[in-house]
Amino acid sequence: MSELMSDRAIDRSKMQVSDEVAIEITNMNKWYGSFHVLRDINLTVNQGERIVIAGPSGSGKSTLIRCLNALEEHQQGKIVVDGTELSNDLKNIDKIRSEVGMVFQHFNLFPHLTILENCTLAPIWVRKTPKKEAEERAMHFLEKVKIPEQAHKYPGMLSGGQQQRVAIARSLCMMPRIMLFDEPTSALDPEMIKEVLDTMIELAEEGMTMLCVTHEMGFARQVANRVIFMDAGQIVEQNEPEEFFNNPKSDRTKLFLSQILGH
Amino acid sequence: MSDIGFVRTEMLPEKDPPASEVGVIGWVRHNLFSSWLNAILTVLSIGAIYYVLSGVLPWIFQSVWNADSLSECREIMKGTWESTHGHACWGVIRERWLQLLFGFYPNHLYWRPILALVLLLAALSPILFSDKVSSKMLILTTAYPFIMPFLMWGGTIWGPVCAALGFVIGFLIIKHAAAAIGELWAMIAGVVAALIWWFILAGPVAGALSSVLPIGIEAVQSRQFGGFMLAIMLGVVAIGVSLPIGIVLALGRQSDLIIVKYICVGFIEFIRGVPLITLLFVASLLLNIFLPPGTNFDIILRVMIMMTLFSAAYMAEVIRGGLAALPRGQYEGADSLGLNYWQAQRLIIMPQALKISIPGIVSTFIGIFKDTTLVSIIGLFDVIGLASAIRADTAWNGIYWELFAFIAVLFFVVCFSMSRYSMYLERKLKTDHR
């Protein structure tokens, strides 16, 4: 898998982790009915960190990052995102959501709006940005993900990879401080995975704080500064990528890595 | 084995298709005579079409227009074709078409419903053809609900003006009080103020104004309304008001607020579980028993309310279907960008849910429009009621087909237009290449 990225040298000059805390999760628990999905999660993410969360399906990794912008509700513990505590207060939730960008497995673009309108909608309605300025910013980010020429098409006319890049641009238009990626390449054809990963690498190079749930271990090796392994709703192991891949400590991690890298 | 390697160096040019695949012959072969069974069905269908048309066309076209009664019609038919069978007597339509269209509306005031219809089309144009008509026309659309009753019922102009003022008062309070007491309380205060205005103050104020400044046109009583005009009035109101109510009910039914949810469910299930005709009887008979004596609550208004509620319940279920068809990801996409509930509903969810529901919504529209004919049963003279009245006239006693054919054409034109418009809209809103 790592060969996907081998043609590109990564510029690490701006990839610096600061001391400022971006996300702090303490003793967080979540249940679906009586099923305990997330157990005693403690995690601190600093500004500028690039974290990859891996684990078998059903381990709760998607649920974890979906808790960070309150798409899922947690029942116990404390989540502080960018200085704001996630509570039932809708004002706080909307504030956090506008500061935290999210990219989904199935893109979730709005099919009835053009690419440009997809990108300008939230800045105009949530941030109250003037339309012209929002459009200029949208074009800037669409150029960055290399599809400015598609701006006036509808999502249904684009390939999967292009749609996912639009989804990234749409999130960036809100000028988020943190980006969450929920299996961004899992629904893509193999030849389109690279273009999306390249976009994500560029984002990392600019120093964005990123949390990615992904099975792209090549990406984890090259871009992440920390890999978190989850199983059965718990954080089983976390380490720097080199150590994580070459010298896993727990048996669960070893088994998982042998399954995912073995073929 | 021998060498199996092969590389094509020249691409073959395209050949013309055989004659059996293209042109008239190709089309006929493919579509009408592609197999023995198909050929037999084609011949049988052509025979059936010929049989029907050979009966209907002479009935329509070998007909009598200039007659003032059915017996006169029959004499002319005997004189011309030696038989009264198989010929239409359109004399009844020629004599009574104005009545079928306008009911007992005063003849010299026909310009008012006609103007109301023209304004209706103008008011609808910015909504129906938003890409072709300037949005400035929306001013007319906003004013139309007050212009229409004024034109149709006449009387003092201050009634509709005071009704409109209620909306203005509510709107101003919501807009300006929001900063001081929060959006929710401002909304409640606005609605309460508007209700107080309408039910307590508007009547006396309108009365005072009209005695000071009597501006108005000749009043027309509700019992003079009728004909196809009544169907259009009831249909337009029921359609126009039921769509927004239906949207609110559909959202309410999905709401997390348990009381709101069950009120909506209860309303929808009750209205859908009861025949429209019973609701109309409630409107015409029972409501008078419950209302305080001396209240003048117009019968047409009562029927409008019942038809609107009936249509809204169906609308809510159709829209709920559209909401259910939306992937969860759309809600999450909207949420993750920080849009609040109402923004997400208005900008993301509803445009898509309504688009999915267009066929169902238009079916409901067409259904409620045709159901307006049920008001003939509670004694309003819509087209069906008038047809019975005309047949009761000694001159036209015994005539059926011509009247109902005319009514059918009237309804067909309107319903077919709605159906075509919905197909146009679906094509226009299509944004993918599938």
Side-chain angles (χ1 to χ4, degrees):
Chain A
M1 287 197 191
S2 52
E3 70 272 13
L4 276 173
M5 239 116 340
S6 55
D7 60 337
R8 190 158 172 330
I10 293 178
D11 171 16
R12 296 184 183 273
S13 59
K14 285 188 217 154
M15 289 164 80
Q16 276 148 10
V17 178
S18 80
D19 293 336
E20 199 185 334
V21 175
I23 298 172
E24 187 160 28
I25 308 174
T26 27
N27 295 327
M28 193 258 276
N29 279 288
K30 175 173 174 58
W31 289 263
Y32 282 130
S34 58
F35 177 59
H36 199 174
V37 243
L38 292 176
R39 308 182 190 183
D40 279 330
I41 304 284
N42 283 291
L43 181 67
T44 305
V45 180
N46 284 350
Q47 202 62 252
E49 275 205 277
R50 303 156 309 277
I51 294 178
V52 164
I53 304 172
S57 69
S59 59
K61 50 196 193 308
S62 285
T63 311
L64 172 62
I65 68 165
R66 287 158 61 86
C67 280
L68 296 180
N69 63 353
L71 285 184
E72 304 276 354
E73 204 183 340
H74 63 284
Q75 281 90 28
Q76 264 180 21
K78 195 171 151 188
I79 303 180
V80 179
V81 179
D82 215 19
T84 313
E85 186 180 348
L86 262 185
S87 58
N88 287 331
D89 189 347
L90 285 175
K91 283 231 169 69
N92 277 359
I93 291 181
D94 283 340
K95 179 167 182 289
I96 286 173
R97 281 173 176 169
S98 61
E99 301 291 337
V100 178
M102 181 143 193
V103 176
F104 299 87
Q105 182 176 3
H106 295 288
F107 331 134
N108 296 353
L109 294 176
F110 307 130
H112 63 301
L113 301 175
T114 63
I115 300 305
L116 189 64
E117 286 164 345
N118 263 281
C119 293
T120 55
L121 185 94
I124 289 175
W125 289 91
V126 179
R127 288 248 193 275
K128 315 286 178 208
T129 316
K131 189 168 176 232
K132 200 163 176 322
E133 198 187 320
E135 280 178 356
E136 278 165 14
R137 195 194 298 163
M139 285 314 293
H140 166 75
F141 284 114
L142 285 175
E143 260 159 48
K144 220 167 112 153
V145 300
K146 303 193 180 63
I147 32 177
E149 71 283 358
Q150 314 281 9
H152 296 286
K153 290 191 184 168
Y154 287 93
M157 303 171 180
L158 270 55
S159 74
Q162 289 174 323
Q163 290 192 44
Q164 193 60 296
R165 283 185 283 152
V166 171
I168 295 175
R170 179 177 75 176
S171 291
L172 292 177
C173 284
M174 285 295 279
M175 303 292 196
R177 312 239 296 150
I178 301 162
M179 285 285 286
L180 308 174
F181 292 84
D182 188 3
E183 307 208 23
T185 55
S186 302
L188 296 177
D189 289 337
E191 75 267 28
M192 294 177 179
I193 293 180
K194 186 179 175 300
E195 61 189 53
V196 171
L197 289 180
D198 279 343
T199 309
M200 288 165 66
I201 292 172
E202 273 176 43
L203 209 52
E205 283 173 338
E206 284 165 22
M208 176 68 79
T209 311
M210 293 164 74
L211 273 83
C212 313
V213 171
T214 181
H215 298 294
E216 298 298 330
M217 290 304 138
F219 174 80
R221 223 183 253 275
Q222 286 189 280
V223 179
N225 68 315
R226 180 150 52 129
V227 180
I228 293 177
F229 176 71
M230 285 184 72
D231 190 27
Q234 304 163 66
I235 295 179
V236 174
E237 185 168 350
Q238 50 175 321
N239 216 328
E240 286 171 4
E242 278 306 302
E243 271 297 292
F244 180 82
F245 287 110
N246 300 337
N247 194 11
K249 303 280 184 300
S250 109
D251 290 341
R252 267 314 276 124
T253 316
K254 283 176 196 163
L255 178 65
F256 175 75
L257 286 176
S258 74
Q259 280 166 341
I260 201 166
L261 299 172
H263 51 82
Chain B
M1 295 292 277
S2 61
D3 183 15
I4 55 162
F6 172 80
V7 177
R8 185 181 288 288
T9 50
E10 254 176 67
M11 300 310 280
L12 296 176
E14 268 185 23
K15 285 183 189 162
D16 286 333
S20 62
E21 295 298 308
V22 289
V24 179
I25 297 172
W27 187 88
V28 169
R29 266 181 77 127
H30 271 287
N31 294 294
L32 300 179
F33 299 100
S34 58
S35 68
W36 273 107
L37 179 65
N38 207 338
I40 293 168
L41 286 176
T42 300
V43 171
L44 285 178
S45 311
I46 291 175
I49 293 170
Y50 174 79
Y51 177 76
V52 171
L53 288 184
S54 65
V56 170
L57 289 180
W59 182 77
I60 295 175
F61 292 106
Q62 295 184 347
S63 51
V64 180
W65 282 91
N66 291 309
D68 294 328
S69 72
L70 188 57
S71 48
E72 197 185 334
C73 249
R74 289 197 169 132
E75 271 166 34
I76 298 173
M77 284 178 199
K78 272 198 190 122
T80 324
W81 302 290
E82 287 162 0
S83 145
T84 58
H85 188 71
H87 305 284
C89 177
W90 295 120
V92 65
I93 306 298
R94 185 187 56 85
E95 192 187 273
R96 298 295 185 98
W97 68 280
L98 278 173
Q99 196 183 25
L100 283 169
L101 291 182
F102 295 104
F104 301 111
Y105 209 85
N107 289 21
H108 64 285
L109 296 178
Y110 278 172
W111 64 271
R112 272 158 49 177
I114 293 171
L115 178 62
L117 180 67
V118 171
L119 286 178
L120 171 70
L121 297 178
L124 285 179
S125 63
I127 298 175
L128 297 185
F129 304 99
S130 53
D131 50 345
K132 299 196 183 83
V133 179
S134 156
S135 57
K136 280 181 191 140
M137 289 285 281
L138 283 172
I139 297 170
L140 176 64
T141 314
T142 319
Y144 190 77
F146 308 101
I147 298 175
M148 192 274 278
F150 177 62
L151 277 176
M152 297 304 294
W153 276 279
T156 168
I157 198 169
W158 298 111
V161 167
C162 285
L165 263 179
F167 285 100
V168 175
I169 291 170
F171 176 76
L172 286 179
I173 289 179
I174 291 172
K175 197 176 167 203
H176 292 292
I181 52 175
E183 269 176 48
L184 182 66
W185 286 108
M187 190 90 82
I188 293 171
V191 171
V192 169
L195 289 177
I196 291 175
W197 168 258
W198 281 322
F199 284 103
I200 300 170
L201 297 171
V205 171
L209 278 169
S210 53
S211 61
V212 178
L213 207 65
I215 309 174
I217 50 179
E218 191 179 331
V220 179
Q221 297 304 313
S222 283
R223 57 188 157 76
Q224 295 174 288
F225 282 51
F228 197 56
M229 178 190 87
L230 182 62
I232 292 184
M233 269 178 66
L234 294 175
V236 165
V237 171
I239 285 171
V241 183
S242 69
L243 185 61
I245 297 181
I247 291 175
V248 172
L249 284 172
L251 289 178
R253 193 168 187 165
Q254 295 213 319
S255 170
D256 295 332
L257 308 170
I258 204 93
I259 296 176
V260 171
K261 179 177 171 173
Y262 282 108
I263 289 175
C264 290
V265 172
F267 176 85
I268 292 169
E269 298 300 340
F270 172 74
I271 297 277
R272 286 203 313 163
V274 176
L276 175 57
I277 194 72
T278 42
L279 293 178
L280 292 179
F281 274 120
V282 168
S284 81
L285 304 169
L286 287 176
L287 231 49
N288 268 356
I289 300 174
F290 294 120
L291 289 171
T295 329
N296 181 21
F297 195 23
D298 190 88
I299 176 72
I300 290 183
L301 189 60
R302 279 181 278 168
V303 168
M304 277 175 176
I305 291 172
M306 284 303 179
M307 300 209 81
T308 303
L309 296 182
F310 185 77
S311 170
Y314 278 87
M315 197 64 64
E317 286 300 279
V318 169
I319 293 168
R320 190 168 70 94
L323 286 172
L326 270 196
R328 224 185 118 58
Q330 291 296 308
Y331 293 88
E332 290 180 353
D335 283 347
S336 74
L337 288 169
L339 295 170
N340 65 33
Y341 176 82
W342 291 108
Q343 286 172 336
Q345 291 299 339
R346 200 178 112 212
L347 301 167
I348 309 298
I349 306 303
M350 270 306 148
Q352 296 184 65
L354 290 179
K355 184 182 132 192
I356 297 171
S357 327
I358 288 173
I361 291 176
V362 174
S363 282
T364 312
F365 283 173
I366 290 175
I368 197 71
F369 181 61
K370 291 187 297 182
D371 283 351
T372 57
T373 51
L374 285 175
V375 298
S376 62
I377 295 181
I378 57 163
L380 291 181
F381 282 100
D382 83 315
V383 261
I384 302 287
L386 282 167
S388 312
I390 291 171
R391 290 205 327 264
D393 184 337
T394 45
W396 298 111
N397 199 341
I399 201 156
Y400 287 93
W401 287 91
E402 292 81 352
L403 282 171
F404 288 115
F406 180 69
I407 294 168
V409 169
L410 288 179
F411 275 94
F412 181 79
V413 168
V414 176
C415 295
F416 187 65
S417 312
M418 283 198 250
S419 154
R420 299 309 294 186
Y421 175 76
S422 91
M423 291 170 81
Y424 155 82
L425 195 62
E426 277 176 67
R427 266 200 314 280
K428 192 176 87 172
L429 296 179
K430 206 175 156 122
T431 55
D432 51 13
H433 276 172
R434 259 170 281 143

